[in-house]
Amino acid sequence: MDAIVVEGLRKRYKQVLALDGVSFAVREGEIFGLLGPNGAGKSTTVRILATLTAFDEGRAEVAGHSVQHDPAAVRRAIGYVPQESGVDRDATGRENLLLQGRIQGVRGAALRTRVDELLEGLGLAHAADRTARTYSGGMRRRLDVALGLVHRPAVLFLDEPTTGLDPEARAALWEELERLARVETLTILLTTHYLEEADRLAGRLVIVSRGTVVVEGTPEALKQTLQGDSVTVELEAADGERAHTAVAALPEVHEAVLDGRQLRAFVDQGARSVATIVSALDAAAVSIHAVTIARPSLDEVYLHYTGRDFRAEDAEAVAAARAPAGGRGGRER
Amino acid sequence: MPRIVAHTWWMIGRQLRNLAREPIWIALLLIQPMIWLLLYGQLFRNVVKLPGFGAVSYVTFLTPGIVVMNAFFGGTWSGMAMIQDLDRHVLERFLATRSSRIALVLSQVVRSGLIAAVQALIILVVALALGVRAHAGAPGWLLVLLTSFLVGCAFGGVSHGMALIFRKEATMIAAANFVGLPLLFLSSTLIARTSMPHWMAGLARFNPVEWGVVAARQGVLPGADWGSAAAHLGLLAGLTVVTVGFATWAFQVYRRSL
């Protein structure tokens, strides 16, 4: 059975079309990744599934309940870890968890045991009775995860769980999440713009760009769709268009993608094509700063499918356009 | 129904516990009413020479007014807590749970009323030290506490409704300042109604702050008119229902904006 079914989801915020027909299905017990640049619609999708945001068209079901028609049943089944920490900073970690648990219908000794177990499991036991104001970013994030899990939900939504964390805290949280996924028999829907995170945690994923799903599969299968290697050329000057034309015209180049001063060419055999690419650029009078050959990674898949969306200014423009509708800062919704 | 009550109760517990963690807030909560009473009592001491005050001292006249003024100010500003919960994404977190939606608003409103009542008690005790005796005795004290609770709730409803619509501290501050002093001076809080300009005394009848002052005075001044007290409490209770309705509607507006 599918734990989450999303079909043709559309959502418009005033001038901005946030979702333009998103569809995917998440199987029970898997970790499913929603990967995409800022402003692609990942958070909007999760917020719709968490019953926070209404949608205009389509169908959404979580744990067998319709998000639209039975939001109360959906809320019973889910834990939601929002993109921005929802921790009550004036309360201690334990107080945060006890209140959340009571609201979610857990009581008495069962609640106290569960709270202790989560504090212990997420490495917060030593800080359980300190106000969350004193917590580091990583600790606050772990408390967010604990808040989402307190009532043993069937489905957990993690909206960019490690954004803003330093690499060490990120790695620690990944370990926690992997362990929890094993221990808690959970279905997890994870949004992220870290390819590494999706590669590490997600069994399957979709790449979302500009409000639609552009590709779906396991990280392995997606890497295989990009057969062969990528040759990345760092250009000396901003003459990318000329370089792109020259390289894309080569018969052994399947595709060439320009990203700022980086030109990536997808070829069957990197080592063999480097010389051809370099001489083609030489002929076009393009100066080269550096050349690297890479086996395909999720990076290439991502770049291949999201194309220009990858560029930071694009993402910022989308985020800025979204901000007035929500009345908040330029974070993705 | 029990779920709404339980969730409201837990949420009030959260708010009061968080406030209790702020020693400065508690100090101000205690000291501020005393300052009103001592400062205004001295400043306007000679007002009693005007007609309309009867035989009571000014501080006796002033005490119920200060109680209501305090509840009114506290209620008007109470929506700041909602803005903080919005900014810190605490409200969103609760919205994705089984939390009763009404409890999220109702708890804030009732909390405003409870704090107003606690402050009323402090004011009555300080006033007692200044020689103010509630002529109606224990029922008088109860009446003052109930009045302050209702005034706190009524204006708490307005404040939380505005907080959910504006969602910005700066706008809230401007709005609270806009209503604060005009409503205070359009009431007999500081001065007997007979000493007010005729048109202001007329307008005051429609002022909820005045309803509270009139009700609370029946518990403190001699010659209590219990009928008038009940009528004004009824008006305040009705207003509370309306403003809670407004805040609940504003909450729907906020949720639709997500």
Side-chain angles (χ1 to χ4, degrees):
Chain A
M1 197 192 124
D2 287 330
I4 303 171
V5 181
V6 173
E7 262 178 35
L9 218 52
R10 290 170 74 89
K11 167 73 182 176
R12 179 176 282 283
Y13 285 104
K14 289 185 181 139
Q15 312 92 327
V16 183
L17 187 63
L19 298 184
D20 191 9
V22 169
S23 302
F24 60 85
V26 180
R27 293 182 210 121
E28 229 166 62
E30 75 175 332
I31 303 185
F32 190 88
L34 226 55
L35 184 63
N38 286 324
K42 306 185 299 290
S43 281
T44 304
T45 305
V46 169
R47 293 168 62 86
I48 286 172
L49 293 174
T51 75
L52 289 173
T53 299
F55 53 97
D56 303 324
E57 273 174 56
R59 190 167 76 94
E61 273 179 22
V62 176
H65 306 287
S66 159
V67 170
Q68 203 171 13
H69 299 113
D70 199 358
V74 171
R75 284 180 205 127
R76 270 196 289 278
I78 62 162
Y80 170 57
V81 179
Q83 189 179 351
E84 311 251 8
S85 172
V87 163
D88 181 351
R89 287 180 230 175
D90 296 320
T92 68
R94 191 188 303 280
E95 286 163 349
N96 265 290
L97 285 166
L98 286 172
L99 176 61
Q100 180 92 352
R102 274 187 207 117
I103 286 172
Q104 297 283 34
V106 194
R107 299 286 149 80
L111 175 58
R112 283 194 299 276
T113 313
R114 176 64 171 162
V115 166
D116 283 338
E117 175 187 308
L118 284 169
L119 287 166
E120 189 66 44
L122 283 157
L124 291 169
H126 67 288
D129 298 307
R130 268 174 24 206
T131 57
R133 187 180 294 284
T134 66
Y135 286 16
S136 69
M139 289 165 75
R140 213 171 281 172
R141 213 66 189 115
R142 292 206 296 276
L143 181 54
D144 276 317
V145 173
L147 286 166
L149 288 172
V150 72
H151 59 302
R152 299 181 193 277
V155 178
L156 182 70
F157 297 116
L158 294 169
D159 197 357
E160 307 215 353
T162 65
T163 297
L165 297 187
D166 59 57
E168 207 176 316
R170 176 173 303 148
L173 188 55
W174 283 346
E175 263 173 46
E176 298 292 352
L177 292 174
E178 280 175 332
R179 193 184 61 80
L180 287 168
R182 278 197 311 272
V183 181
E184 304 260 340
T185 57
L186 271 171
T187 304
I188 297 180
L189 179 64
L190 164 90
T191 83
T192 180
H193 59 245
Y194 295 118
L195 303 148
E196 208 189 339
E197 186 161 295
D199 203 2
R200 164 127 184 215
L201 296 177
R204 287 194 308 137
L205 59 91
V206 287
I207 293 179
V208 185
S209 178
R210 294 179 191 273
T212 62
V213 171
V214 289
V215 67
E216 174 175 348
T218 65
E220 278 314 305
L222 289 177
K223 284 181 213 164
Q224 276 167 20
T225 58
L226 295 185
Q227 284 176 353
D229 302 337
S230 72
V231 177
T232 304
V233 184
E234 305 264 355
L235 303 172
E236 197 91 277
D239 46 6
E241 291 303 329
R242 193 145 42 92
H244 182 259
T245 316
V247 170
L250 295 170
E252 56 262 72
V253 172
H254 300 307
E255 191 171 6
V257 179
L258 182 66
D259 179 36
R261 284 195 184 179
Q262 268 197 357
L263 180 69
R264 277 176 204 236
F266 297 99
V267 295
D268 286 330
Q269 299 234 342
R272 211 179 282 168
S273 305
V274 166
T276 330
I277 289 171
V278 169
S279 55
L281 289 172
D282 205 31
V286 176
S287 333
I288 296 166
H289 182 67
V291 181
T292 45
I293 304 169
R295 303 285 310 152
S297 73
L298 215 45
D299 253 301
E300 271 74 38
V301 180
Y302 186 84
L303 190 63
H304 178 83
Y305 285 105
T306 62
R308 290 174 168 268
D309 256 358
F310 193 69
R311 299 204 323 211
E313 65 265 27
D314 223 8
E316 274 164 25
V318 174
R322 273 284 309 108
R328 280 202 236 107
R331 296 295 299 262
E332 190 201 358
R333 299 279 306 279
Chain B
M1 196 59 179
R3 195 173 75 106
I4 293 178
V5 174
H7 285 204
T8 303
W9 179 244
W10 294 332
M11 290 292 171
I12 292 173
R14 171 179 92 90
Q15 293 158 19
L16 291 180
R17 182 197 60 216
N18 288 355
L19 286 171
R21 293 237 161 93
E22 301 291 329
I24 295 175
W25 182 84
I26 294 189
L28 291 176
L29 178 90
L30 296 173
I31 294 165
Q32 197 186 34
M34 302 185 201
I35 291 178
W36 291 132
L37 209 53
L38 297 170
L39 206 66
Y40 282 24
Q42 289 300 303
L43 182 65
F44 296 112
R45 197 171 37 180
N46 293 328
V47 174
V48 276
K49 290 175 185 158
L50 294 169
F53 281 92
V56 299
S57 71
Y58 183 62
V59 76
T60 303
F61 173 84
L62 191 63
T63 297
I66 293 296
V67 164
V68 170
M69 182 188 85
N70 203 74
F72 161 56
F73 282 170
T76 305
W77 289 101
S78 63
M80 298 300 272
M82 184 68 91
I83 296 208
Q84 196 176 64
D85 276 356
L86 282 171
D87 284 347
R88 292 184 178 174
H89 307 275
V90 174
L91 203 59
E92 265 183 39
R93 166 161 65 87
F94 287 136
L95 281 176
T97 68
R98 300 165 68 184
S99 169
S100 152
R101 319 277 113 171
I102 291 173
L104 291 172
V105 177
L106 200 60
S107 61
Q108 296 274 17
V109 173
V110 175
R111 185 259 309 163
S112 315
L114 287 177
I115 289 175
V118 169
Q119 284 191 301
L121 193 64
I122 296 163
I123 295 169
L124 286 178
V125 170
V126 172
L128 197 67
L130 295 174
V132 177
R133 298 286 175 274
H135 282 76
W141 280 57
L142 277 179
L143 174 60
V144 173
L145 296 186
L146 183 59
T147 306
S148 63
F149 175 75
L150 284 176
V151 171
C153 287
F155 284 98
V158 177
S159 184
H160 283 92
M162 291 195 306
L164 285 161
I165 289 171
F166 299 148
R167 296 167 219 161
K168 256 191 171 166
E169 280 182 16
T171 318
M172 272 299 285
I173 292 168
N177 278 331
F178 180 77
V179 297
L181 291 183
L183 284 189
L184 180 66
F185 289 121
L186 264 181
S187 76
S188 63
T189 304
L190 302 171
I191 198 165
R193 208 193 283 181
T194 46
S195 301
M196 292 166 76
H198 188 66
W199 65 273
M200 283 178 89
L203 273 181
R205 287 175 200 284
F206 303 100
N207 180 357
V209 177
E210 175 70 1
W211 301 344
V213 172
V214 171
R217 265 190 195 135
Q218 308 310 320
V220 177
L221 300 194
D225 179 347
W226 293 102
S228 162
H232 285 99
L233 284 184
L235 282 172
L236 285 171
L239 180 69
T240 301
V241 171
V242 172
T243 65
V244 169
F246 163 66
T248 310
W249 169 81
F251 192 51
Q252 301 287 343
V253 171
Y254 158 71
R255 285 177 57 203
R256 273 198 295 272
S257 78
L258 287 172

